[in-house]
């Protein structure tokens, strides 16, 4: 197998999407009682509950990118990353809804929140590409 496979590109695009999510604000909080209309951005770097899973996903995806010789291990690592990415989506939604329920606060989702589901989509596509390669290798082994 070579590293020019399509699932390697999907994994690379997922890494880029998660790195973008790490840098940009994931939401805004406006204190309606003190200053209505003034929103303070929420960054992933300041929330450890979001930062740790995001950094773990990025590191595991980089590891998965170089596991192209062991397809079953690569699939396992990408599936773990997919579960962590789905948990990041849940954590962001929970954090913003929790802030939104506080008295005098309004939480607003950011436009950049779409990159996490995009990363999850790329991870799903990578798993399907890995499964396709596993089936192809099994068929080649049957022909021998």
């Amino acid at each position: 197998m070579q590293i020019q496979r399509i699932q390697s590109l999907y994994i690379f695009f997922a890494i880029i999407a998660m790195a973008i999510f790490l840098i940009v604000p994931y939401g805004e909080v406006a204190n309606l009682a003190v200053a209505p209309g003034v929103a303070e951005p929420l960054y992933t770097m300041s929330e450890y509950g979001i930062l740790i899973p995001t950094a773990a996903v990025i590191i595991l995806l980089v590891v998965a990118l170089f596991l192209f010789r062991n397809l079953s291990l690569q699939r396992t690592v990408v599936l773990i990353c997919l579960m962590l990415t789905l948990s990041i989506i849940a954590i962001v939604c929970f954090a913003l809804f929790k802030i939104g329920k506080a008295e005098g606060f309004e939480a607003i989702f950011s436009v950049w929140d779409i990159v996490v589901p995009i990363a999850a989509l790329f991870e799903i596509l990578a798993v399907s590409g890995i499964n396709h390669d596993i089936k192809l290798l099994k068929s080649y082994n049957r022909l021998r």
Side-chain angles (χ1 to χ4, degrees):
M1 291 272 112
Q2 297 175 355
I3 198 163
Q4 288 90 8
R5 297 174 302 138
I6 191 71
Q7 61 263 26
S8 297
L9 286 174
Y10 292 146
I11 292 171
F12 181 71
F13 290 149
I15 291 170
I16 290 176
M18 291 306 290
I20 289 171
F21 177 72
L22 190 66
I23 296 169
V24 298
Y26 67 89
E28 295 177 342
V29 172
N31 192 346
L32 300 176
V34 176
V38 178
E40 178 182 334
L42 298 170
Y43 288 96
T44 307
M45 294 290 198
S46 63
E47 299 288 334
Y48 291 121
I50 301 172
L51 174 67
I52 293 171
T54 304
V57 166
I58 292 172
I59 291 169
L60 286 174
L61 284 173
V62 169
V63 168
L65 187 62
F66 294 106
L67 286 175
F68 58 91
R69 292 190 189 267
N70 191 349
L71 291 176
S72 62
L73 183 60
Q74 186 182 33
R75 180 177 55 190
T76 303
V77 171
V78 173
L79 284 173
I80 291 170
C81 290
L82 179 62
M83 295 303 150
L84 282 172
T85 304
L86 293 176
S87 70
I88 290 170
I89 293 171
I91 291 170
V92 167
C93 291
F94 176 75
L96 287 175
F97 284 128
K98 181 179 161 189
I99 292 171
K101 294 287 185 181
E103 284 187 31
F105 287 101
E106 180 184 4
I108 305 163
F109 283 95
S110 172
V111 175
W112 294 104
D113 287 337
I114 195 71
V115 296
V116 182
I118 289 173
L121 176 70
F122 282 131
E123 291 166 0
I124 291 169
L125 290 172
V127 168
S128 69
I130 293 168
N131 287 337
H132 179 269
D133 277 357
I134 289 172
K135 285 181 186 177
L136 187 66
L137 286 174
K138 285 182 181 178
S139 72
Y140 284 158
N141 286 339
R142 279 193 302 265
L143 289 175
R144 284 189 216 180

